[in-house]
Amino acid sequence: MPALASGSTRIRPLEAASRVIMLALVAVLTLIATGDPRQLGWIALLAVTAVPAFVAREDSALATAGRFAEVIVTGLAAGSIANATEGATAGFRAEAILPYLAVPLLTAALRRKPTEGAALLGVAAVALVAGGALADLRVLTDRGYLAAGGQWLVMGAIVTFAAEAMREFLLPAEPTPQPYAEATRLLTQLRSVARSLPGATLDPGGISEHLLEELRAVTPGDRAAVLSASGGGRLVVLAQTGAERVDWETTLDADSAIADAWATQQPHVASRSQARTHRGGEVSSLVVPLVAGVRTIGLVILETDAGGAYPPAVVQSVTEVTGPAALRLEAALLFDDVRSLATNEERQRLAREIHDGVAQELVMVGYGIDNAQATLPEGAEETAEELRTLRGEVTRVITELRLSLFELRSEVDRNGGLAAAIAEYARTLGTSAGLRVHFTFDESTARLPAATEAELLRIAQEAITNARKHAGASNLWVTCTVDPPYAQIEVSDDGKGFADNRPDGRYGLTIMAERAERIRGRLRITPRHPSGTTVAVVLGTPPRRDSVRDSVSAPEGE
């Protein structure tokens, strides 16, 4: 059988063997049908025309010419062999050589050359007629010869146009990539690309700040921001510049240039501010969508306290900068999503394994201790006391595990917000440890990016856990201020503080510092007067104006 792939050296011997076998077969049939050894000359000529299939199979022109030569020789030989001797019908004698037609036709079909196959069929029909006419015109009137020729032409057509299905059947199926294998490949490529980027980072906040710096050189303004989608029809502030922090409009259903630019994917110029609150006066604002492919992935807002500040020429200059930045920001946001999904999945997996594994085993150990206590003989007071101590320790460990499970499963609800998630965690741990927890919240309606909120929640969890485990405190103060892209989370206790004044030596504090660095935040650990410790993480710079939102301060004990 011809080779299944033109470039494969592995199956060349099979192709050679199939052609040799076919040549031997038609030679034997020709000799039986005609009894004339001279007709074997056609077989020798076929062998010559088959040479390009072996020595020049990579040369498209020579290989194609060889297949046409094989078809022509086969057609001419059929007429000659049909007229070779008296006796048997011409059709029977032609059947001796016609099976060879399948060789060049199948070769062309398996090489995915249907046009060449159709041409070979046409040439074969002409060659059969020419062969019969050259041998003896009476051959062309022989019904057996015409039937044999027509039969093999039909079979050749079937071979030509049904070979694709045969090819797919004969070739081994390509293995379907497994989802995790494909994910590994893509993430490996992403890691390589990330390492080659300036600063080896895929941080949306950093990319957004760099974009605002580039735009400041194009068109100076009083305020600017980069916003991206966060789900639920809301936007989050990734970066912001200006003398005052702006309470930007972050909903996409409002009557604003922000909503229009997002929907139309076109820059919009407005003569009013895109903030929820503004002092008034003349304002020019420009909102440019960041479009990657067909998706809007973010917005750039530029504002200045002057009229007509963004003519078409300036808009064109801004879009020339934002165009390439959209692709960079999309890559960073996708990387953030992948990292968050992978982190959350791993946390849930660990929670399941702990719950179904060591937690259940510890419970069984506790039951075993209870049974041992119940069966102790009278007078074994010392052993009973040891068992009670051991049972208390097992109960403590089980409690710690349950709190760890709660921590692993805690997430920021996109509807509830960061402050609500921190409050829920602090209340739960405060209740378990007998701590009085005091809350102070000042949270904007705008949201931080999901990945940033997740990191801030983990830092707050670690600070609260440290206060519960190590501080020996009675009170815990939790302050949460969120004004995107600024945020400050502060956890204070009235415990014993750090005796060695080296807080960076503890593993938990090291993890908090790493998390803060990941979101470009700053971790501060300071003593609290008169006793205790304050752990604070600060993201961005604080607002330089009075807050337009009311603070929520929970009374003591709540």
Side-chain angles (χ1 to χ4, degrees):
M1 182 174 290
L4 298 179
S6 61
S8 173
T9 58
R10 181 175 60 86
I11 57 177
R12 281 185 180 179
L14 179 61
E15 179 179 3
S18 63
R19 286 180 179 270
V20 170
I21 291 172
M22 184 61 77
L23 285 170
L25 175 63
V26 296
V28 171
L29 291 176
T30 299
L31 193 58
I32 293 174
T34 64
D36 184 2
R38 292 176 299 176
Q39 297 298 324
L40 295 178
W42 290 107
I43 310 303
L45 188 56
L46 273 179
V48 172
T49 58
V51 169
F54 303 121
V55 300
R57 67 194 304 268
E58 304 300 334
D59 189 316
S60 178
L62 285 177
T64 300
R67 287 190 287 274
F68 275 97
E70 288 178 298
V71 167
I72 293 171
V73 171
T74 302
L76 296 176
S80 175
I81 292 172
N83 192 47
T85 57
E86 298 294 334
T89 64
F92 173 76
R93 292 192 295 270
E95 288 275 8
I97 191 71
L98 286 177
Y100 194 82
L101 276 178
V103 174
L105 289 172
L106 186 59
T107 301
L110 292 180
R111 292 174 187 241
R112 294 181 175 178
K113 295 183 176 182
T115 303
E116 181 184 319
L120 288 173
L121 282 172
V123 171
V126 173
L128 283 170
V129 174
L134 290 175
D136 193 327
L137 289 176
R138 290 178 298 176
V139 173
L140 292 179
T141 61
D142 187 280
R143 293 181 180 179
Y145 180 77
L146 294 177
Q151 171 187 334
W152 280 102
L153 287 175
V154 170
M155 293 183 65
I158 294 174
V159 166
T160 299
F161 299 108
E164 182 61 26
M166 295 173 58
R167 185 178 188 275
E168 292 180 359
F169 176 77
L170 293 171
L171 286 177
E174 294 185 1
T176 303
Q178 297 299 316
Y180 278 99
E182 184 69 8
T184 300
R185 183 182 66 81
L186 293 174
L187 289 172
T188 302
Q189 292 178 351
L190 180 60
R191 180 179 63 185
S192 301
V193 171
R195 287 176 175 173
S196 66
L197 294 174
T201 181
L202 279 173
D203 172 39
I207 290 175
S208 300
E209 289 179 353
H210 180 69
L211 173 59
L212 293 180
E213 290 176 4
E214 288 183 298
L215 292 175
R216 192 180 298 118
V218 174
T219 172
D222 296 301
R223 297 169 295 279
V226 177
L227 283 66
S228 74
S230 66
R234 300 190 67 85
L235 302 173
V236 295
V237 180
L238 296 178
Q240 181 171 252
T241 62
E244 295 182 347
R245 192 163 303 283
V246 179
D247 190 16
W248 298 106
E249 177 61 61
T250 58
T251 60
L252 294 176
D253 55 0
D255 182 17
S256 65
I258 289 177
D260 293 340
W262 186 277
T264 63
Q265 295 187 336
Q266 296 296 325
H268 275 66
V269 177
S271 57
R272 61 186 178 91
S273 175
Q274 300 306 303
R276 290 191 181 93
T277 57
H278 189 260
R279 295 176 179 175
E282 198 170 23
V283 174
S284 294
S285 62
L286 170 62
V287 183
V288 180
L290 298 171
V291 181
V294 297
R295 292 196 320 117
T296 305
I297 53 103
L299 297 170
V300 173
I301 306 173
L302 304 175
E303 283 194 359
T304 187
D305 295 327
Y310 300 110
V314 173
V315 175
Q316 177 65 27
S317 299
V318 170
T319 55
E320 289 176 358
V321 175
T322 59
L327 184 59
R328 297 196 298 268
L329 183 59
E330 183 187 37
L333 291 171
L334 287 173
F335 182 74
D336 243 16
D337 285 345
V338 170
R339 182 170 57 188
S340 296
L341 287 172
T343 301
N344 289 337
E345 183 179 341
E346 184 64 13
R347 293 178 73 89
Q348 297 302 320
R349 185 189 67 80
L350 286 173
R352 288 192 300 270
E353 288 191 0
I354 292 173
H355 178 271
D356 298 337
V358 65
Q360 299 298 329
E361 292 175 2
L362 280 173
V363 170
M364 295 305 297
V365 170
Y367 291 154
I369 295 172
D370 292 339
N371 291 335
Q373 283 181 303
T375 57
L376 277 177
E378 294 184 5
E381 293 298 331
E382 185 176 348
T383 302
E385 181 59 30
E386 291 178 356
L387 287 175
R388 280 193 293 271
T389 302
L390 182 59
R391 184 64 174 92
E393 186 64 18
V394 170
T395 301
R396 184 192 65 79
V397 173
I398 292 174
T399 301
E400 290 292 335
L401 276 176
R402 286 174 177 167
L403 292 174
S404 296
L405 291 176
F406 175 68
E407 179 179 346
L408 286 170
R409 289 172 173 167
S410 296
E411 295 182 7
V412 179
D413 188 340
R414 295 309 297 167
N415 296 318
L418 176 62
I422 294 175
E424 180 186 7
Y425 185 79
R427 285 192 185 99
T428 301
L429 265 69
T431 301
S432 69
L435 285 171
R436 300 180 69 192
V437 184
H438 315 269
F439 301 106
T440 301
F441 297 149
D442 181 14
E443 189 172 26
S444 168
T445 54
R447 298 291 296 271
L448 293 162
T452 302
E453 288 186 338
E455 294 292 357
L456 289 173
L457 173 62
R458 304 307 174 200
I459 293 172
Q461 286 177 335
E462 184 66 32
I464 295 169
T465 299
N466 284 344
R468 181 184 67 85
K469 285 184 176 181
H470 309 299
S474 301
N475 291 276
L476 191 66
W477 291 268
V478 179
T479 302
C480 179
T481 304
V482 178
D483 186 10
Y486 170 78
Q488 178 171 339
I489 312 298
E490 187 175 282
V491 177
S492 298
D493 64 75
D494 58 357
K496 58 187 178 182
F498 294 102
D500 57 3
N501 292 320
R502 290 186 295 118
D504 59 334
R506 293 186 178 178
Y507 183 63
L509 300 180
T510 302
I511 292 176
M512 286 193 289
E514 291 174 351
R515 289 186 183 277
E517 183 180 359
R518 191 178 300 161
I519 57 175
R520 296 175 300 113
R522 304 176 301 282
L523 186 70
R524 296 200 301 255
I525 302 172
T526 56
R528 179 184 177 275
H529 183 76
S531 66
T533 305
T534 296
V535 177
V537 58
V538 181
L539 181 65
T541 55
R544 299 178 185 176
R545 62 178 175 84
D546 293 334
S547 176
V548 296
R549 296 167 304 279
D550 294 330
S551 294
V552 178
S553 181
E556 291 190 7
E558 295 188 7

